[in-house]
Amino acid sequence: MSLTSIVAPFRTVESRQELKLLFLAQPIVPVVLLSVRLFGKIRKVPGLGWVVTDPLLARQVFNDANHFTIVGLGGAGFWWKQVLGEWVLELFDGVGHHRIRTAVRDLFAADFTNLLIERAGGESFRSLAEDLAAGKQVDIVAWSRVTVGRVVADLVGMDSNDIADTFPDADPSDIPGLFRLLSKEGENLANYAMGIGSPDMTEEDMASSRQVVHRITSMVPRAYATAGSDTVLGRLRDSGVSEQHAVGLTALMVVAGTQTTIATIGRMVALLHDSGEQHTLLADPSITPDTVRESLRVTSAAAAVGRGVSRDVEVGGKMLKEGDEVKIFVWSINNAIGPFKADRAYVPELRQLWFSGGRHLCIGATLVNVELARVLGALIADGRPWRIVERKARSRLLVPGYEKLVIELV
Ligand code: HEM
């Protein structure tokens, strides 16, 4: 990878805005994400472990459960173990993980997802389109927090009463406010996992994380007992998955499903605006699935995905030893092929690397695709382009994103 490919992102307005978001999230992040491209396909880097920047090697690691583990140092499971306890290992890998994914699989398939999104978010998507068409200014981030919170809560099996119990200080009659709070808690918890290179948490972060987990899962025992079988909690109960595991999975769902999606929605809307590519989409709405895929590629909200080496193994001509840490730089790999293009054709090499791969491929992938397509549908429903009235980036957070992104149709 050449120096030219490193400076390329600075050439377009939309890439500069994206780099600014990354910088404000954590100043070191854009530096690392751009410079790892110079290291070659795989290289051991002090402080980071084995750095992978090649899509085929990334796929090899994701697909090889015999030599790599998500619960090893650097993997997401390792972080959750510190917050929830050793039992998490049963939930994240091996037989327990397979059992849970099997129990809930159909709740994440396309048919159910379409029903879920219409049930929980249909009204939100319609009012977004109506408000924009009526000339109102809409803060896409505030809107996303409510909508994404509603969808995740419905999927898990929490209703607004459960969430009102979770936040006793909140006004129980302000239903959008309750879902916004749930999303914010998910975002807060994700932020304790900051630091691409250092999965170890401070005692203070650990205590705060446990408090948030406790809060967002305080209703699980009740919902676990009563939730319908078309919800994650109901399905876990029916399949004999313990209440303790259900608590862990609820926390995981709220964290995994909120911050990444909310950040991606805001960044997608800004990317389309800043690049002028919204006009390509407005001219041909049939490219919506391509635009969604392209937005996921360029934003790559989970910028780096970690694994631990569980047994010695050769990757790309290098010998990785048991106990080593591996970082797959998903953002760097995905962004190497070029700038944002709303109608970019499918790139087989990348497939959907923004959702990782193998047995831990994001279970919410279909849900995210449908949610993003519905957002675009609402934005282009009136046939007019939008402009950004106000934007504010968030600082000090795991997934770069906007705190505020106010748009209006022009
Ligand atoms: C733009 C939005 C999203 C992105 C970019 C994203 C990305 C990812 C990635 C990269 C992983 C794999 C991590 C690894 O291999 O270590 C993952 C796993 C996961 N995601 Fe997502 N995600 C998104 C939204 C969602 C949503 C909406 C949900 C659910 C409501 C969700 C639930 C999960 C779960 C439960 C896992 C763990 C899967 C497993 O280990 O088997 N995600 N996600």
Side-chain angles (χ1 to χ4, degrees), residues 15 55 72 94 100 108 149 322 343:
S15 304
I100 288 174
F108 291 90
E322 184 182 334
D343 58 354

Side-chain angles (χ1 to χ4, degrees), residues 145-304:
R145 284 201 174 114
V146 176
T147 311
V148 169
R150 271 185 201 279
V151 171
V152 169
D154 192 309
L155 173 68
V156 170
M158 305 180 204
D159 60 26
S160 54
N161 292 328
D162 293 324
I163 300 174
D165 288 353
T166 306
F167 304 106
D169 296 338
D171 172 3
S173 64
D174 175 13
I175 309 288
L178 292 174
F179 288 110
R180 199 175 298 123
L181 271 176
L182 182 70
S183 286
K184 280 209 149 198
E185 283 290 58
E187 294 177 82
N188 290 341
L189 184 52
N191 288 339
Y192 292 119
M194 294 257 285
I196 286 179
S198 60
D200 291 302
M201 300 172 75
T202 62
E203 277 302 321
E204 203 183 320
D205 277 352
M206 207 114 73
S208 309
S209 308
R210 288 195 188 115
Q211 269 173 18
V212 179
V213 168
H214 183 71
R215 218 169 18 245
I216 55 184
T217 57
S218 55
M219 40 52 68
V220 168
R222 189 176 77 198
Y224 177 81
T226 57
S229 297
D230 58 348
T231 65
V232 170
L233 280 172
R235 194 57 68 79
L236 295 178
R237 178 199 60 227
D238 296 349
S239 315
V241 173
S242 73
E243 190 181 292
Q244 187 189 37
H245 282 184
V247 166
L249 211 73
T250 300
L252 172 63
M253 243 0 124
V254 172
V255 173
T258 51
Q259 184 170 31
T260 44
T261 314
I262 293 162
T264 304
I265 292 174
R267 287 166 70 181
M268 172 177 77
V269 174
L271 272 169
L272 278 160
H273 169 271
D274 299 338
S275 60
E277 288 286 298
Q278 56 169 322
H279 298 286
T280 313
L281 177 66
L282 281 159
D284 180 8
S286 74
I287 64 163
T288 297
D290 299 326
T291 308
V292 166
R293 191 177 55 239
E294 182 68 351
S295 304
L296 285 162
R297 175 186 76 82
V298 170
T299 53
S300 290

Side-chain angles (χ1 to χ4, degrees), residues 38 73 160 205 207 229 282 339 352 358 386-387:
L38 285 173
L73 183 66
S160 54
D205 277 352
S229 297
L282 281 159
Q352 42 178 352
W386 61 91
R387 75 174 189 100

Side-chain angles (χ1 to χ4, degrees), residues 62 70 76 92 97 101 108 152 155 252-253 256-257 260-261 264 296 301-302 305-307 354-357 359-364 367-368 371:
F62 285 141
I70 199 169
F92 263 87
H97 174 256
R101 274 200 81 126
F108 291 90
V152 169
L155 173 68
L252 172 63
M253 243 0 124
T260 44
T261 314
T264 304
L296 285 162
V305 177
R307 290 287 184 270
W354 39 90
F355 288 132
S356 109
R359 61 167 68 177
H360 295 289
L361 177 87
C362 176
I363 200 169
L367 177 60
V368 174
E371 276 181 317

